[in-house]
Amino acid sequence: MTAQAEADTAAGAGSEHPGPAPGPTPTPGPGTTPATAAGTHTNDAGTDPGSATDPAPGRTAILRAARRAFALRPYAEVTLRGIAADAGVSASLIVKRFGSKEQLFTAVADFGPAADALFTAPLPELGRHMVRTLVGQRRAQQGDPLLRVVFSLGISDERSLLRDRFQEQITGRLTALLTGPDAALRAELIAAQLLGLGATLSIHRTGAASTAPPEQLADLYAPALQRLLEG
């Protein structure tokens, strides 16, 4: 898998679902901006294509594009203009939604929503719930809710915030949920298994697991998670 494909998966935009190829740039007509003439579909509200179900129009596309950008390039080289072009929105919409590049990166580094979805089940049912939720989110969003943290490995620039947030919001929250001995160690191993599941599903994009029902994946994968959860 290429770095671009890995970044697409971590960003929530699977490379197996490429967007349409760009066509020729039409000549702007009356009331048409250069951006819309170029096919970026930016309107007065700055909404992106397919954002009808987006509670904050453009936000999902911006976050996906930002995750790709920060995964593939050093923080200092990422620009709001470049993210806007990738997302098909105006740079002013990014400023409206997030304020600045720093604030946008803070949103990219936020694993809180993923933790809320993964960990909202009673402890005796949590192993199965985590597997079903991770698989379901990957299939619904064409991307993994956790894998972007791997792009911070060995990085000393601002992207190290991804590691800090992951440790706080995923591993730390897991530790707090567990009882019994070695809670911190068990939490780290659970996080490793969740990342491993996501990485394996990304590697075997067309393999047996890609079409297996979430319940079947939970039957096979959740017992090991549940043993760590219960100590």
Side-chain angles (χ1 to χ4, degrees):
M1 187 189 302
T2 65
Q4 178 67 59
E6 291 172 350
D8 284 343
T9 299
S15 62
E16 66 270 35
H17 299 284
T25 301
T27 302
T32 304
T33 66
T36 54
T40 55
H41 305 281
T42 303
N43 59 22
D44 290 342
T47 56
D48 61 286
S51 64
T53 59
D54 193 341
R59 181 180 176 87
T60 299
I62 292 167
L63 283 172
R64 287 180 177 176
R67 288 169 182 167
R68 283 192 292 271
F70 289 118
L72 292 171
R73 292 188 292 278
Y75 179 90
E77 295 180 9
V78 176
T79 66
L80 294 185
R81 188 177 299 275
I83 291 171
D86 187 21
V89 303
S90 64
S92 62
L93 182 66
I94 298 182
V95 174
K96 178 180 178 182
R97 293 278 180 254
F98 296 95
S100 66
K101 184 173 86 168
E102 180 180 3
Q103 290 170 302
L104 175 58
F105 180 69
T106 298
V108 167
D110 184 11
F111 291 96
D116 290 341
L118 286 167
F119 303 151
T120 52
L123 191 62
E125 304 167 15
L126 190 53
R128 294 186 63 84
H129 173 80
M130 288 192 294
V131 174
R132 292 196 307 265
T133 300
L134 188 142
V135 172
Q137 287 196 356
R138 285 180 57 91
R139 292 179 178 177
Q141 302 171 10
Q142 287 85 53
D144 193 277
L146 302 177
L147 271 185
R148 63 188 182 275
V149 72
V150 304
F151 292 99
S152 69
L153 301 180
I155 298 297
S156 59
D157 67 11
E158 288 83 352
R159 289 174 292 174
S160 63
L161 179 62
L162 283 163
R163 293 196 302 274
D164 296 339
R165 286 289 182 82
F166 188 92
Q167 291 171 358
E168 172 192 347
Q169 297 174 321
I170 299 297
T171 314
R173 186 161 165 183
L174 270 170
T175 302
L177 288 172
L178 303 182
T179 59
D182 302 317
L185 175 58
R186 286 155 50 209
E188 290 176 9
L189 294 175
I190 292 166
Q193 291 204 18
L194 292 174
L195 289 171
L197 176 59
T200 297
L201 293 174
S202 295
I203 293 168
H204 302 288
R205 287 176 178 272
T206 59
S210 67
T211 56
E215 288 295 333
Q216 182 183 9
L217 293 174
D219 288 343
L220 296 171
Y221 202 81
L225 286 169
Q226 196 63 39
R227 284 194 294 273
L228 288 168
L229 287 164
E230 296 179 355

